[in-house]
């Protein structure tokens, strides 16, 4: 088959079915954009895990007046108990990397500042906070060592691992990203149905041309390949637009705005878009070829 003939037939087909071509491009763009968001969401969760788990802290909350911790039983941590906790932390390096002490007043003031634009900031009471030692670990998995050493010790109300709180957040993020992927899969089904419908209508409109080509001895590949190429071109255009949107979202939304607004958080970047790009393009091309081939086998008798 001559390349000029294939390109000419593909171009003519795209021109004669502009509305259907645009539909395939748009639906492909939306579905691949959603799929890309889901994949990037997974990469963002992994990036944040690596970033935050290295910075995770163990909080050793002490007993204060009217403490909310049952282990305190109405008692208040004494200076001697507080000094004993310091001494024990100093003797546990490693796994203790470093620690600092935060008073009840400091904890309450920090919370009020963080949530100054939230109803929580006005509703919170000082009683909900306590003196604490914030402990950074050389290995976040060594929480059990700290917990077993201080849980139930005199003057200690509670030992809390931030990793447990982060796991809840990351679980929520995973649900969001998987939901985006599920929605993208539904959109992919729409793309497949639209591709099949487009090919069916195109094949029907060209049945006379197809009959003539059969009479002059054209092979199956000669007749079918232009239909396949039209679908592949439309799909690649849609995937290209989706990747452009993903690039803009990450470049200006994530790496641009969010990274400046949240300086203490690690975010994905343009290299992550480049990493998922080949998978999206390859998947779209494979989907277009398979859908075209199966549809032509059924609706284009050659």
């Amino acid at each position: 088959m001559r390349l000029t003939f294939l390109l000419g037939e593909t171009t003519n087909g795209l021109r004669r079915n502009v509305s259907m071509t645009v539909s395939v491009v748009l639906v492909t763009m939306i579905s691949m954009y959603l799929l890309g968001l889901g994949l990037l969401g997974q990469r963002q969760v992994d990036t944040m895990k690596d970033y935050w788990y290295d910075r995770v802290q163990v909080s050793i909350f002490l007993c204060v007046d009217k403490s909310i911790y049952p282990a305190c039983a109405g008692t208040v941590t004494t200076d001697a108990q507080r000094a004993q906790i310091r001494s024990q932390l100093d003797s546990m390096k490693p796994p203790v990397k470093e620690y600092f002490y935060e008073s009840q007043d400091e904890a309450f003031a920090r919370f009020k500042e963080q949530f100054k634009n939230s109803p929580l900031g006005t509703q919170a009471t000082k009683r909900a906070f306590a003196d604490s030692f914030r402990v950074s670990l050389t290995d976040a998995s060594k929480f059990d060592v700290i917990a077993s050493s201080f849980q139930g010790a005199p003057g200690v109300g509670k030992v809390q691992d931030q990793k447990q709180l982060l796991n809840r957040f990351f679980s929520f993020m995973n649900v969001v990203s998987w939901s985006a992927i599920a929605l993208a899969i539904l959109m992919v089904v729409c793309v497949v149905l639209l591709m099949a419908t487009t090919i069916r209508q195109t094949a029907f409109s060209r049945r006379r041309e197809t009959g003539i080509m059969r009479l002059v001895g054209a092979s199956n590949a000669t007749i079918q390949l232009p239909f396949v190429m039209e679908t592949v071109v439309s799909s690649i255009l849609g995937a290209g637009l989706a990747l452009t949107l993903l690039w803009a979202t990450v470049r200006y939304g994530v790496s641009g705005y969010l990274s400046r607004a949240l300086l203490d958080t690690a975010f994905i970047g343009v290299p992550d878009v480049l990493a998922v790009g080949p998978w999206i393009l390859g998947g779209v091309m494979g989907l277009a070829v398979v859908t075209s081939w199966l549809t032509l086998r059924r609706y284009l008798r050659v």
Side-chain angles (χ1 to χ4, degrees):
M1 183 189 299
R2 292 185 304 173
L3 181 60
T4 53
F5 172 79
L6 174 60
L7 295 177
E9 287 295 303
T10 302
T11 303
N12 291 333
L14 292 172
R15 187 173 61 248
R16 284 181 292 187
N17 297 278
V18 174
S19 60
M20 295 301 293
T21 299
V22 172
S23 299
V24 173
V25 170
L26 292 179
V27 175
T28 303
M29 178 188 70
I30 296 172
S31 61
M32 292 303 103
Y33 180 68
L34 291 174
L35 179 61
L37 287 179
L39 295 176
L40 291 176
Q42 292 289 327
R43 296 178 73 91
Q44 177 63 49
V45 170
D46 293 338
T47 300
M48 293 179 71
K49 281 182 179 179
D50 294 339
Y51 181 84
W52 284 109
Y53 283 170
D54 287 342
R55 292 160 176 76
V56 70
Q57 291 181 336
V58 176
S59 298
I60 304 174
F61 293 102
L62 308 184
C63 297
V64 294
D65 186 32
K66 298 179 181 180
S67 176
I68 62 174
Y69 302 121
C72 293
T75 61
V76 177
T77 302
T78 64
D79 292 338
Q81 291 171 339
R82 192 176 287 105
Q84 174 60 32
I85 295 173
R86 286 183 182 273
S87 176
Q88 191 170 351
L89 287 172
D90 289 331
S91 66
M92 296 179 69
K93 296 182 178 181
V96 173
K97 182 179 181 181
E98 59 182 0
Y99 69 89
F100 69 92
Y101 178 76
E102 183 178 60
S103 68
Q104 183 184 34
D105 291 334
E106 290 172 339
F108 183 56
R110 179 170 58 85
F111 180 86
K112 296 281 286 186
E113 175 63 24
Q114 289 178 339
F115 292 89
K116 59 184 178 182
N117 297 320
S118 170
L120 292 175
T122 57
Q123 297 173 2
T125 60
K126 185 177 178 179
R127 180 175 175 270
F129 300 86
D131 296 0
S132 64
F133 286 94
R134 306 288 178 148
V135 184
S136 298
L137 305 178
T138 54
D139 185 352
S141 64
K142 300 296 184 181
F143 162 72
D144 292 340
V145 176
I146 304 298
S148 61
S149 300
F150 292 97
Q151 190 68 59
V156 176
K158 181 182 179 181
V159 180
Q160 177 178 282
D161 182 15
Q162 289 181 343
K163 188 175 180 180
Q164 297 174 348
L165 301 177
L166 290 174
N167 282 338
R168 298 176 187 173
F169 171 73
F170 292 138
S171 296
F172 170 76
M173 290 290 292
N174 277 323
V175 169
V176 173
S177 59
W178 280 113
S179 298
I181 292 176
L183 182 59
I185 292 174
L186 179 61
M187 293 297 298
V188 168
V189 174
C190 296
V191 171
V192 171
L193 294 176
L194 185 57
M195 286 180 183
T197 302
T198 302
I199 295 171
R200 182 180 179 183
Q201 291 185 351
T202 303
F204 180 79
S205 66
R206 297 189 209 169
R207 63 190 183 279
R208 183 177 179 181
E209 298 174 20
T210 302
I212 295 174
M213 293 177 70
R214 290 182 60 191
L215 290 175
V216 299
S219 64
N220 289 351
T222 301
I223 298 174
Q224 293 179 352
L225 198 53
F227 293 95
V228 176
M229 288 300 298
E230 291 173 27
T231 307
V232 170
V233 170
S234 301
S235 302
I236 291 179
L237 286 175
L241 291 174
L243 290 176
T244 302
L245 288 177
L246 289 173
W247 176 85
T249 300
V250 173
R251 172 65 179 83
Y252 298 105
V254 178
S255 299
Y257 176 75
L258 288 180
S259 61
R260 290 195 298 266
L262 302 173
L263 297 177
D264 58 346
T265 302
F267 290 101
I268 57 175
V270 173
D272 294 280
V273 178
L274 300 179
V276 303
W279 293 98
I280 292 178
L281 286 175
V284 165
M285 291 179 62
L287 185 68
V289 171
V290 172
T291 302
S292 302
W293 181 74
L294 293 177
T295 305
L296 289 171
R297 279 176 58 90
R298 180 174 181 182
Y299 294 110
L300 186 63
R301 303 298 180 183
V302 294

